[in-house]
Amino acid sequence: MSYSNFFYQMLKRDLQLAKTQKHELGLPVLFFILVLILFPIAIGPEGGLLARLAPSVGWIAVILAILIALPRMFAEDYENGWLEQLFLSGYPGSLIVTARLVSFWLLYCLPLILSSFLLVPFFSFDLGLWWILLQTLICGSILMTCLGSLASALLVSSRKGSGVMALLIVPLLIPAVIFASAAQEAASQALPYTSPMLILFALAVFALTVAPIATAQALRLNLG
Amino acid sequence: MFKWLHPYAKPEKAYLLSLSIFKYLMPVAIIGLFVGSLWGLMFAPADYQQGDSFRIMYIHVPAAIWSMGVYMSMGIAGFCALVWQIRLMELSVIAMAPIGAVFTSIALFTGALWGKPMWGAWWVWDARLTSELILLFLYLGVFALFHSFDDKRYGAKAACILSVIGMINVPIIHYSVEWWNTLHQGASITKFDKPSIAGEMLWPLLINIFACMLFFMALTAYRFATEVLRSESHRKWVLQINK
């Protein structure tokens, strides 16, 4: 099988498996919406303040929701031995990981990003600014998926790992949060926001380049 | 050099070497810290603007410098451990992580003590403070990752991978945070040509920085020796030592 065909087959398998477990896919999105609802209730229903907080709330909620979803990235395949077979198959580990990254992003991150639209009605958020939030979230979620794949690969054989996940990912995510909020801030004042957006994009591309190699290494380590 | 270095890949030799490093460095480090701190805290002239509260610098600056230096050496050790598959290097990463975390906490704590009279706040979201705080969490992450496995060997390797990833990320975090917000005063002693600090103030600081490094090396050697013993606890030479 050629590499591209292998990649396609891996992706197809992940998506087909996901089709059989629809309820699992919905949980992070539900969690995301619940976090969104908590904020106005805790802060108070004042429109102006909520609109200012909306992009940050969106980002925090996406990070939390992805943290919920991340332990599932490799756990099942590790337990039933599929991962081991894949690594024995002789295909490059980074290819296997990249396929999983893409399927994870499509299955978990994309719904989250799209449901950030709820900020517009709930937080009386400006539609034009939401469009920018959407772009920062696309870059950010790629970064989160990459870092998260590394963390969940490191923790895949650990029984007490779930609490450590946040400790591994959040400090490394801080630059992305900073640039995203800088872009949002600039856009809300009608200033050019290209440069933080480009840096964010660069971070995402960099992570996408390095993460598959590191993740494959971490998985090999866990497979012994 | 390798011929000379080679025997130390053996745990027993490494154990003895690190113990003797500890034995020689620890007294020097303690004397250095004592002299530097006493000189700095009691005898150095008071600052004309900040009065006596600038003296916290003699603790704060060495701790802050080595909080970063320890991370760097941890990352390099982790990288070497992964690339050349040296098991003892993995143990050294684990040996360094808590020490670095303690240095970082000391830097944060003394910084807060200084910030209250100077800036009027225990904490501000300034660039350096924030990146130091993130550094603390990176250390804790490495250590927590090591302890979340029953198999210590996997835990150590995983911690190595994380320390290397963290090392790549430290400059990114540093510059992003710098760009975000800056209030902390600039460095005074890294300008080599003409330091903007008086000589009588500078000397105890330099002594403390150097002594802190020796202290870190000695502690690392000791923790490393302990880790070696623990990982080799079933071997004959360990049993002989314990007898």
Side-chain angles (χ1 to χ4, degrees):
Chain A
M1 217 188 312
S2 71
Y3 282 171
S4 54
N5 197 11
F6 177 75
F7 184 80
Y8 173 72
Q9 293 295 337
M10 290 273 303
L11 215 59
K12 199 171 140 200
R13 173 186 175 273
D14 285 350
L15 297 182
Q16 274 174 343
L17 268 183
K19 219 185 275 174
T20 64
Q21 317 166 324
K22 287 198 192 80
H23 59 287
E24 289 233 335
L25 293 180
L27 280 179
V29 176
L30 269 181
F31 179 80
F32 175 80
I33 296 169
L34 286 175
V35 174
L36 284 197
I37 294 172
L38 273 182
F39 269 92
I41 293 172
I43 293 169
E46 190 199 328
L49 182 63
L50 285 181
R52 263 191 63 203
L53 288 178
S56 353
V57 171
W59 256 81
I60 293 171
V62 166
I63 291 176
L64 294 178
I66 290 182
L67 276 179
I68 293 272
L70 271 177
R72 278 179 223 140
M73 198 180 221
F74 296 111
E76 202 178 317
D77 286 347
Y78 175 76
E79 274 154 24
N80 64 23
W82 168 251
L83 212 55
E84 196 162 6
Q85 294 305 317
L86 277 182
F87 273 87
L88 286 174
S89 68
Y91 286 97
S94 47
L95 190 69
I96 299 166
V97 173
T98 313
R100 179 52 53 89
L101 286 180
V102 173
S103 67
F104 183 88
W105 192 81
L106 287 175
L107 289 172
Y108 290 102
C109 297
L110 196 60
L112 283 179
I113 295 170
L114 293 179
S115 53
S116 77
F117 182 75
L118 284 174
L119 287 167
V120 176
F122 282 1
F123 285 66
S124 51
F125 191 39
D126 185 64
L127 195 63
L129 289 178
W130 174 73
W131 184 240
I132 292 153
L133 177 71
L134 190 70
Q135 297 169 30
T136 63
L137 276 181
I138 288 174
C139 295
S141 65
I142 294 173
L143 191 67
M144 287 176 220
T145 312
C146 292
L147 288 174
S149 80
L150 182 69
S152 56
L154 284 174
L155 288 168
V156 76
S157 69
S158 156
R159 287 182 293 105
K160 8 181 180 170
S162 52
V164 184
M165 185 77 83
L167 191 56
L168 301 191
I169 297 172
V170 173
L172 300 179
L173 261 182
I174 285 175
V177 180
I178 287 175
F179 289 117
S181 73
Q184 205 72 46
E185 187 68 33
S188 70
Q189 294 169 0
L191 295 169
Y193 54 87
T194 329
S195 66
M197 196 69 100
L198 285 180
I199 295 175
L200 198 59
F201 195 68
L203 284 178
V205 172
F206 178 64
L208 200 55
T209 319
V210 178
I213 303 167
T215 308
Q217 182 73 28
L219 283 175
R220 271 220 184 86
L221 184 80
N222 273 309
L223 295 171
Chain B
M1 193 186 85
F2 282 103
K3 207 172 177 184
W4 170 81
L5 212 54
H6 196 237
Y8 293 111
K10 202 176 159 196
E12 192 178 351
K13 284 272 167 57
Y15 171 76
L16 292 175
L17 175 73
S18 54
L19 271 196
S20 63
I21 287 177
F22 173 73
K23 203 171 66 192
Y24 289 114
L25 286 189
M26 200 59 177
V28 183
I30 287 178
I31 292 170
L33 278 178
F34 191 72
V35 170
S37 306
L38 211 64
W39 187 356
L41 295 180
M42 314 275 296
F43 302 114
D47 189 78
Y48 81 101
Q49 249 181 344
Q50 303 183 356
D52 275 335
S53 48
F54 95 99
R55 289 179 198 278
I56 197 80
M57 163 183 102
Y58 294 111
I59 312 289
H60 176 73
V61 172
I65 286 180
W66 291 113
S67 68
M68 288 176 267
V70 173
Y71 200 88
M72 210 62 202
S73 39
M74 196 173 83
I76 292 169
F79 183 77
C80 294
L82 288 175
V83 172
W84 288 286
Q85 301 283 324
I86 310 172
R87 195 173 57 90
L88 291 177
M89 279 290 204
E90 294 161 13
L91 296 180
S92 76
V93 169
I94 300 309
M96 285 183 225
I99 302 172
V102 170
F103 273 142
T104 316
S105 329
I106 292 174
L108 284 172
F109 181 70
T110 53
L113 286 185
W114 181 86
K116 185 62 185 164
M118 289 301 129
W119 295 336
W122 294 108
W123 182 266
V124 286
W125 288 101
D126 159 68
R128 286 200 190 187
L129 278 73
T130 314
S131 52
E132 194 75 6
L133 188 66
I134 299 169
L135 192 66
L136 178 64
F137 285 114
L138 287 176
Y139 277 123
L140 293 181
V142 170
F143 202 57
L145 188 61
F146 172 65
H147 280 291
S148 54
F149 291 90
D150 295 329
D151 186 335
K152 292 297 170 218
R153 187 80 206 277
Y154 289 163
K157 278 198 172 173
C160 286
I161 294 183
L162 187 67
S163 68
V164 172
I165 296 290
M167 192 173 62
I168 298 172
N169 247 283
V170 161
I172 299 178
I173 292 174
H174 181 79
Y175 286 107
S176 69
V177 174
E178 194 110 311
W179 196 63
W180 176 56
N181 200 354
T182 299
L183 180 68
H184 195 287
Q185 65 183 54
S188 318
I189 56 167
T190 41
K191 292 176 267 173
F192 274 110
D193 46 9
K194 192 171 171 289
S196 52
I197 174 172
E200 309 92 86
M201 289 183 182
L202 181 62
W203 275 110
L205 183 61
L206 290 182
I207 292 174
N208 254 6
I209 290 174
F210 190 67
C212 244
M213 181 186 74
L214 295 180
F215 190 57
F216 154 64
M217 285 158 72
L219 279 183
T220 306
Y222 191 72
R223 276 187 53 84
F224 175 73
T226 320
E227 291 289 338
V228 170
L229 272 193
R230 192 159 66 183
S231 73
E232 301 272 309
S233 56
H234 54 285
R235 294 284 167 81
K236 205 191 266 172
W237 64 270
V238 179
L239 297 177
Q240 264 166 4
I241 286 172
N242 276 343
K243 234 187 291 177

